Amino acid sequence: MNETTCSMIAIVGRPNVGKSTLLNALVGENVAIVSDKPQTTRNRITGVVTKGKAQYIFLDTPGLHRARTRLGEYMDSVSRSSVADVDVAVLVVEPIRH
């Protein structure tokens, strides 16, 4: 039997911590826009990597933040709903600078 395993991985974190950059590196091509401007990812972006019989589906999410507008509430709900049915959630944090 030729079975392919599939794992869903959500990439979450605050705005501008490198979630889209990480997705692009994992997929090996630019599927997500990278910008210095916060909150450019407004919807979930999906990147798929297939290695042998394994398939990894990465979900780049809008940044988790304290929403102050309806758009912010929408983006926060997209992030939260993205982790509901995944196998793994990766929390990306900004590095500590000394």
Side-chain angles (χ1 to χ4, degrees), residues 20 40 67 80:
S20 296
T40 53
R80 292 178 189 280

Side-chain angles (χ1 to χ4, degrees), residues 40-77:
T40 53
T41 302
R42 300 208 172 162
N43 293 300
R44 182 174 63 208
I45 298 172
T46 304
V48 179
V49 174
T50 302
K51 300 257 184 187
K53 293 184 179 183
Q55 191 170 61
Y56 305 95
I57 302 170
F58 294 96
L59 308 174
D60 179 13
T61 63
L64 293 171
H65 64 288
R66 192 167 305 199
R68 293 181 251 252
T69 64
R70 289 182 65 190
L71 176 60
E73 290 171 4
Y74 167 77
M75 292 167 59
D76 197 50
S77 72

Side-chain angles (χ1 to χ4, degrees), residues 3-47:
E3 286 189 35
T4 300
T5 60
C6 181
S7 297
M8 293 193 60
I9 304 154
I11 304 172
V12 296
R14 296 190 50 79
N16 279 31
V17 293
K19 298 178 305 294
S20 296
T21 301
L22 176 60
L23 174 66
N24 290 341
L26 291 168
V27 173
E29 60 184 278
N30 291 335
V31 295
I33 295 172
V34 177
S35 169
D36 290 337
K37 183 179 178 185
Q39 300 174 332
T40 53
T41 302
R42 300 208 172 162
N43 293 300
R44 182 174 63 208
I45 298 172
T46 304

